[in-house]
Amino acid sequence: MGRRRHLMLEGRTVTSFEDDVLDPAYLEEGQPVHGEGALLAALNRKRTGRMNDIVATIQAEQDAMIRADLAGVRVVQGGPGTGKTAVALHRAAYLLYTYRERLKKSGVLIVGPSSSFMWYIERVLPSLGETGVVMSSLATLYPGIRAVPEGNYQAAKVKGDLRMVQVIKRAVADRQKVPAKTQVLYVDSTAIELTPAMVKQARGAARSSGKPHNQARETFVKILLKELTQQLNQKLDASAGHAVDRPYLQEDVRSSLDVRRALNLAWMPLSAETLLRSLYSKPHYLASATKGILSEQEAAALARSAEQPFTEADLPLLDEAAELLGDFSQVVGAAAAARAEAAHQANLENARKALENVDSQLADMGVDGVVTAEQIAQLNEEISERMTAAKAALQDRTWAYGHVVVDEAQELSPMQWRLLMRRCPMKSFTVVGDIAQASSPAASSSWAQALEPFVGDRFSLEELTVNYRTPAQISDAAVAVARAAGVEVSAPRAARQGQWAPEAYRVGEGNLLARLQELLGRELAQQDGGLVGVIAPGPVYRQTLAALRASFADQLGSAASALEKRLLVLTPWEAKGLEFDVVFIVEPQLLIEEARGSVGDLYVAMTRPTQRLYLLAEEKLPAGLEGLVQA
C-alpha cells in the first residue's frame, strides 16, 4: 500500500481529504497525493536540480497572492523557503491565462539573479501550459550583452546609484563639442571656414529638438551643411564674377573629407557600448562627466580599460545611455540599407532577363507567363525569420511588457530598478524577495526605499509566513547566526522539524579540503539520489572545485558547466534561489568578510538545504554556531 487516505465528512458529505504517503516509492512513480500529506510528501521528496510546479501543494496564503489583480506593484516578502519563487511563477501563469488578450502581444518578463537560477526554474511555466514568457537573468537584461559579475565592490555601489543618471547624461553632452578655434576646410581646392559660433548655434538648435543624440545629429549636420554650402557658393560666385546655379554643391560639401571629419569630431554618432567604454577608459571624459556629481574616490572606482567586459552593474548604464543616444543602427545602417536595395535591384534585373527568355519560349507554345520578376527575386533572397513575440521582446531593448516578475528583488540596485520600470510603463509588477537576504553593494534596506523613487507609496506589501523548504533545526541555526551579527531577520514558521541538526567543524589548518571530501563521500554514499550543494566564497572557490573534481568528477557540476549533476559547487550568488537536499558551506566566515561584514550571503547559503547542513572552517566559525561545533 503506497498511501492512506483520510476522509473528512459532515453527515454523508465529504468536505475534504488528506493523503499519508506510506511508501516513498509511491512518490517516485508520480502518483498524486492531496492535502497536508501532499505538502509534507513534496517537502521530503528528493531534489533533482530543477524546480517543479506546486499546483498540488499550494497553500491558502500563497493562493491569495497568486490570484491578485494584474494592476499595480505587488511585493511578496518572505523568509527563506517560504515559496516566493513558486508564488511568482504560478502568478505569472495565472495572469497569462486570466488576462490572455491583454498580455498576448506585450508578454510577461521574468527576471532572476543568475543564469543558474533561470536554468533551475525554466521548466515550471511550460509544465503549467505557458511558454510565451521572456526569462532573463540580471546578466542578460540588455540585448546582445552577456555581462559578467561585478568584482569591484565600490564600483558596483557607485554604478547602482541614481546619480549615475546625471553622469551618463553629461557624458552624452560631452560628445557634442564646440571647437576651440576656427577650422579651415577644403572642398576640392576651395577653402571654407567652420567657426566655433557656427557649431555652437547648430548644437543649440539640435539639442532644442528634444531628440536623442544620434537623431538630433541629423539636425546639427543639416544646419552646418547648409551654412558651409552657402559660404562655398559665395566664394565660387566671387571667383566667377557672377552668380551661378550649382544644385550639386551641397553634395560636394557633404563628400568633402575635411567636412566629414570636422562634423564627426564635433558630433559623432555613438552606440551605448562605445560611450560607456570611453567614459571608463579616458580620464578626461570621466573627470568631466563626474565633476560635482561623484567624489574623486567614487569616480576613480569607475576607471578601467576599454577591453574589460561589461558587468551586471553596467547594464542599467548601457540602457540609460541607449535611451539618451537613440537608435545607433539607423545612423550607421543607411549605407547597409542602400547596399541591400542595390542588391535587390540587381536580382530584379536578372529575373527580368531570365523571364524574357522564358516568355518567348512560352509564347511559342501558346502559354502565358505565370510569375513576375519580383516573385523570382524574392525567392532568391534570404527571407528573415519570423519571430514570436517573446523572441522579439528579448531582442528589443525598447519592448514594453504587460507585466514584470522580479525574483530575489532585494538585490536590485536603484539603477536596475530604473531599467525594469522602463521595460513596463504601466508599472504592473510582481516583486518577490526578502530584504534580510540582501547582499549586493547597492541593495536597498527596505522595499519603500527601493520602490518609492519610481512608484511613490503606490505598492502593496504582503508576507509569506511559513518556511516550507528548511527544517526548523536548520532555519533556527541560520536565524541565530544572523542575529549574532546584529541583523534582525524574519523567522517564518518551519513546516517540519527535520531529522538532522546542522553540524559545524573546525578542522585545523591545511585539513579543510580533505575533511570536506571525507564528509561529502560519506553523504553521497548514504544518500539514495538527491542533490548536494557545496557553497564556497570567492577566495577558496577554485581550489574547492578542483579538489572535488579530482574525487567526484563523474558526479560534479557547476553553474558554468552542467547543473544536471548530483553534486554542484557554487558561489553564494549562484546559489541564490536554489535548493538542495544537503548543503556544505566552506569557510562560512569568509562569506561574511567577502560581503564587507554583511551576513546576508551566509544566511542565504544556510537556508538552501531541505535535509542536512554542514559548515566547515579551518579555524574561525561565525558567531551563533557555538552549539553546533562537532568534536
Side-chain angles (χ1 to χ4, degrees), residues 353-501:
K353 290 178 179 177
L355 278 178
E356 286 175 5
N357 296 330
V358 173
D359 283 345
S360 62
Q361 296 175 20
L362 291 175
D364 292 341
M365 299 168 59
V367 179
D368 291 332
V370 292
V371 294
T372 66
E374 186 69 36
Q375 288 171 327
I376 292 177
Q378 287 177 351
L379 284 171
N380 287 304
E381 291 171 358
E382 182 179 357
I383 299 174
S384 62
E385 178 187 1
R386 184 176 180 180
M387 294 189 293
T388 63
K391 188 172 182 180
L394 194 59
Q395 298 180 12
D396 184 356
R397 188 196 66 81
T398 62
W399 191 275
Y401 292 94
H403 189 77
V404 176
V405 176
V406 190
D407 205 341
E408 299 291 341
Q410 74 277 354
E411 302 296 347
L412 266 62
S413 71
M415 287 300 294
Q416 287 170 328
W417 278 117
R418 182 176 170 89
L419 181 157
L420 289 179
M421 292 291 169
R422 189 178 285 133
R423 295 290 193 273
C424 187
M426 298 301 292
K427 303 294 189 289
S428 176
F429 277 75
T430 298
V431 175
V432 300
D434 180 14
I435 286 293
Q437 295 185 46
S439 60
S440 63
S444 301
S445 58
S446 70
W447 293 117
Q449 184 185 36
L451 295 171
E452 279 181 354
F454 311 103
V455 297
D457 60 357
R458 300 184 303 280
F459 66 91
S460 63
L461 176 61
E462 300 172 84
E463 186 160 6
L464 293 166
T465 60
V466 179
N467 182 346
Y468 299 103
R469 177 203 303 134
T470 316
Q473 295 182 71
I474 295 177
S475 64
D476 290 347
V479 169
V481 168
R483 289 178 176 169
V487 179
E488 188 57 39
V489 296
S490 59
R493 174 177 58 86
R496 60 204 167 100
Q497 180 63 25
Q499 301 179 50
W500 301 278

Side-chain angles (χ1 to χ4, degrees), residues 538-615:
V540 296
Y541 173 82
R542 290 186 179 278
Q543 62 198 77
T544 302
L545 180 61
L548 298 185
R549 184 177 285 129
S551 302
F552 308 101
D554 58 332
Q555 302 178 74
L556 185 67
S558 69
S561 57
L563 284 172
E564 285 184 328
K565 296 285 187 177
R566 190 180 168 196
L567 171 62
L568 302 180
V569 182
L570 304 167
T571 66
W573 181 256
E574 291 166 344
K576 278 186 179 292
L578 307 185
E579 58 182 34
F580 307 87
D581 295 277
V582 183
V583 166
F584 289 81
I585 301 176
V586 180
E587 292 291 6
Q589 182 61 33
L590 271 182
L591 267 67
I592 297 175
E593 294 171 8
E594 197 176 24
R596 305 293 181 94
S598 169
V599 77
D601 280 349
L602 177 57
Y603 180 66
V604 170
M606 289 183 68
T607 54
R608 298 307 94 196
T610 65
Q611 302 295 339
R612 303 195 67 166
L613 172 65
Y614 298 88
L615 302 102

